[in-house]
Amino acid sequence: KLPEVEQDLVAFQHLINKNSQFKVYLANPTVSRAEKVEVIEGMFSDGKKTTDISKNLFVTLAANARIKDASKVIEAFEMLMKAKRGEVDVIVTVAEPMTSANEKSLLSALKKQVGERSQIILSTKIDPSLIGGMTVQIGDKFMDLSIAAKIKQAKATLAGVN
């Protein structure tokens, strides 16, 4: 059932992101809990293909005036599901686009770092201010291997020498 619950949560998050009025409604403290519960129950009824777990989660959040925190709950659940599947999010920022050979080499090095069984979900960003090299973020770990960082470190060292 967990994959089905994940689909429901992702769909709800998509709705929040897509519909700014709905997002404002959920966060509005002047709307009563009962009214929010009624709206949530209506969303998950009428024969829609959602799990009872998802419905109960959002109804409970609404009843306890926590529905505005639904995005945080969904994000935490997605992190747990990724961990269960062995997925690791990696964000690499480079000064210019990588070649496919560079990307393959990077993925190989990252596999050694996170474990061969892990599935790497690689996101790349371009930031010319790095000058060269890259920054790598794996979960909460951050490595700055950029030329800009090395220049900054050299400047700090030289400034300390005087």
Side-chain angles (χ1 to χ4, degrees):
K1 281 218 169 202
L2 289 177
E4 291 90 0
V5 171
E6 183 179 25
Q7 285 179 343
D8 293 346
L9 298 182
V10 168
F12 193 84
Q13 182 63 51
H14 181 72
L15 177 65
I16 291 171
N17 292 342
K18 191 175 178 182
N19 188 334
S20 60
Q21 290 176 332
F22 183 61
K23 185 176 185 174
V24 168
Y25 174 81
L26 294 179
N28 188 344
T30 62
V31 178
S32 72
R33 293 179 187 189
E35 188 177 331
K36 288 180 185 178
V37 166
E38 190 177 316
V39 167
I40 298 296
E41 284 179 333
M43 288 175 61
F44 285 90
S45 62
D46 299 330
K48 294 188 175 100
K49 296 179 182 179
T50 57
T51 64
D52 289 337
I53 295 168
S54 302
K55 177 183 177 183
N56 292 340
L57 169 67
F58 291 117
V59 167
T60 301
L61 287 171
N64 291 302
R66 295 284 185 243
I67 194 68
K68 67 183 181 298
D69 297 327
S71 293
K72 294 176 188 173
V73 172
I74 294 166
E75 184 180 324
F77 188 82
E78 285 181 309
M79 283 178 43
L80 292 171
M81 289 300 292
K82 283 181 179 182
K84 181 181 185 297
R85 289 188 297 263
E87 296 174 355
V88 178
D89 286 324
V90 177
I91 301 169
V92 176
T93 307
V94 291
E96 50 191 53
M98 290 189 289
T99 64
S100 60
N102 286 348
E103 192 169 317
K104 188 175 179 181
S105 176
L106 174 64
L107 283 170
S108 176
L110 289 170
K111 278 279 190 192
K112 292 176 186 171
Q113 184 75 22
V114 299
E116 292 295 326
R117 291 186 172 187
S118 296
Q119 179 185 353
I120 295 173
I121 300 173
L122 181 64
S123 300
T124 56
K125 296 180 181 179
I126 308 296
D127 181 1
S129 71
L130 295 180
I131 303 170
M134 66 181 68
T135 64
V136 181
Q137 183 170 349
I138 304 171
D140 61 351
K141 297 176 186 166
F142 182 78
M143 296 176 280
D144 192 343
L145 308 169
S146 68
I147 301 297
K150 292 183 188 333
I151 291 171
K152 184 177 178 182
Q153 184 180 19
K155 281 182 180 178
T157 302
L158 290 173
V161 172
N162 295 340

